[in-house]
């Protein structure tokens, strides 16, 4: 990561090009069909139409970048301290597909944490990969979040050695904010000769802490950040970071395999502007926000069970209050705060330096004003989901299928991964056999039907 004094002249080549073109008066005899003009009266984002273009002369091309996009990506690489950084206008999903395609042989195996996002399973379907699971140490009745240790990774590498896995894939932070020891896990992976790929979708800002906790700084070979989740970037903007130069050559080629040939210039321009934002006073603003949030957590801790999490999340285990996570989330909404996520046991809120002190104060007031029964609710009874695999994810996904009520699904093979979004962590993955425990988890997340292989 670079420091402010090194980045004070950070430029914005993509945004500058779009602004100049928007003001040029050029006849747009090219896509898109809106021709740079909003067709809607009193449209709140009317000016955006002028900046929304296609790959015209001078605008570069995302997957073959050698002009303004390449320049902006280089700026991001300097900021994050990577061997290379590439932009995605298709979210971290595109980056995950790219990472797996770059390191895995078709029909091979990948060791990955069971708290992985659905996009990992979908990539396994597309690439015909076999996921070899590492199960987290689930806590507090959650079926989507838990700790994975370096020792668990070491044991998994031994257990799955005969399958000759191509890599280890980790998710950190996970949806509730659980953070893995990426440095120790990277050492284990590299000792075994395996690259480490990390889904860091929720942790782009970790590179800008006083001591970087970004996966690339900790030894990951590749990782993705959903820039839009914690930074001031439009939804869909993500980074693919390279820590190992070995994979740079394949990255853009693999991105083009999955990505749209019409990526959004609005998204890329927001990432371009974000470079300048990060290079200025972001570190100081980030520290101020984290300090304020830490103070808020401390004041709330006598009333709420605050879960350990990465710095910009406030995750609350709701059951000790006598409320489910859904009920606590509804109380927050009644008091003007919309949380990121809620389920039967937890509520998750996400903050960033783009928010205000007033935002934090209003959220704290909303939490302090909640009336609680103060009767501890028992967590739901289920075992961690460890279904047996009957066929490959790809074979199951493309098999003939039918939809059945979950009560009639026991013993059937899931045709598709079944998740609730967010957090999109599969309770059962494509190709796995549905058992009674899976049914309990699906009911807990209000899923009552499932597609199964005929």
């Amino acid at each position: 990561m670079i420091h402010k004094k090194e980045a004070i002249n950070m430029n914005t080549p993509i945004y500058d090009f779009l602004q100049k073109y928007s003001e040029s008066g050029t006849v747009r005899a090219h896509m898109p069909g809106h021709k740079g003009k909003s067709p809607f009266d009193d449209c709140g984002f009317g000016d955006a139409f002028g900046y929304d273009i296609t790959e015209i002369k001078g605008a570069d091309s995302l997957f073959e970048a050698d002009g303004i996009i390449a320049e902006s990506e280089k700026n991001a690489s300097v900021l994050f301290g990577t061997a290379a950084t590439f932009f995605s206008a298709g979210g971290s999903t595109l980056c995950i597909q790219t990472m797996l395609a770059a390191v895995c042989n078709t029909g091979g195996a990948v060791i990955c944490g069971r708290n992985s996002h659905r996009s990992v399973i979908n990539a396994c379907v597309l690439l015909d990969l076999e996921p070899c699971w590492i199960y987290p140490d689930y806590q507090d009745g959650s079926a989507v979040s838990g700790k994975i240790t370096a020792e668990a990774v070491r044991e998994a590498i031994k257990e799955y050695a005969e399958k000759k896995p191509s890599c280890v894939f980790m998710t950190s932070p996970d949806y509730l904010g659980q953070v893995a020891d990426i440095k120790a896990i990277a050492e284990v992976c590299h000792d075994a000769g395996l690259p480490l790929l990390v889904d860091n979708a929720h942790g782009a800002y970790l590179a800008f802490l006083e001591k970087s906790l970004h996966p690339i700084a900790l030894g990951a070979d590749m990782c993705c950040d959903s820039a839009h989740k914690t930074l001031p970037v439009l939804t869909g903007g993500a980074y693919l970071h390279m820590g190992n130069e070995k994979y740079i050559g394949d990255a853009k080629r693999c991105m083009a395999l999955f990505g749209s040939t019409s990526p959004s210039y609005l998204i890329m321009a927001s990432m371009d502007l974000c470079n300048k934002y990060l290079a200025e006073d972001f570190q100081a603003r980030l520290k101020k926000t984290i300090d304020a949030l830490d103070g808020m957590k401390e004041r709330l801790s006598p009333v709420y069970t605050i879960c350990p999490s990465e710095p910009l999340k406030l995750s609350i285990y709701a059951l000790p209050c006598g409320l489910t996570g859904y009920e606590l989330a509804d109380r927050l909404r009644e008091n003007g705060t919309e949380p990121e996520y809620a389920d039967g046991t937890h509520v998750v809120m996400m903050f960033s330096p783009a928010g205000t002190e007033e935002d934090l104060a209003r959220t704290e007031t909303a939490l302090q004003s909640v009336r609680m029964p103060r009767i501890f609710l028992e967590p739901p009874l289920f075992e961690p989901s460890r279904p047996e695999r009957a066929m490959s994810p790809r074979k199951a996904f493309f098999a003939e299928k039918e939809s059945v009520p979950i009560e009639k699904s026991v013993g059937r093979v899931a045709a598709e991964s079944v998740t609730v979004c967010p957090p999109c962590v599969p309770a059962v993955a494509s190709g796995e056999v549905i058992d009674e425990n899976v049914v309990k988890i699906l009911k807990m997340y209000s899923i009552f039907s499932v597609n199964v292989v005929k």
Side-chain angles (χ1 to χ4, degrees), residues 118-196:
R118 177 176 62 191
S119 57
V120 177
I121 298 293
N122 291 346
C124 289
V125 169
L126 292 169
L127 298 167
D128 196 17
L129 300 176
E130 178 185 359
C132 301
W133 299 118
I134 308 174
Y135 289 93
D137 177 16
Y138 296 101
Q139 300 169 356
D140 295 334
S142 173
V144 300
S145 174
K147 195 90 168 176
I148 294 178
T149 65
E151 186 55 35
V153 174
R154 191 190 314 277
E155 291 301 315
I157 291 173
K158 291 179 184 177
E159 179 182 353
Y160 298 119
E162 290 185 1
K163 296 182 181 292
K164 297 182 179 179
S166 299
C167 65
V168 172
F169 187 99
M170 295 290 297
T171 299
S172 177
D174 68 16
Y175 212 86
L176 298 192
Q178 191 80 242
V179 180
D181 186 347
I182 294 299
K183 186 175 187 297
I185 291 171
E187 291 171 357
V188 168
C189 292
H190 296 155
D191 286 347
L194 294 175
L196 173 63

Side-chain angles (χ1 to χ4, degrees), residues 341-357:
Y341 169 73
D343 60 21
T345 56
H346 291 80
V347 172
V348 178
M349 286 155 277
M350 295 175 64
F351 300 92
S352 87
T356 65
E357 293 180 7

Side-chain angles (χ1 to χ4, degrees), residues 323-369:
L323 298 171
T324 67
Y326 297 121
E327 291 169 334
L328 180 55
D330 284 341
R331 303 291 197 281
L332 286 169
R333 293 183 184 106
E334 290 166 4
N335 286 280
T337 292
E338 179 65 35
E340 164 65 22
Y341 169 73
D343 60 21
T345 56
H346 291 80
V347 172
V348 178
M349 286 155 277
M350 295 175 64
F351 300 92
S352 87
T356 65
E357 293 180 7
E358 182 187 359
D359 292 338
L360 285 175
R362 287 180 61 191
T363 300
E364 183 173 354
T365 298
L367 285 166
Q368 296 283 18
S369 67

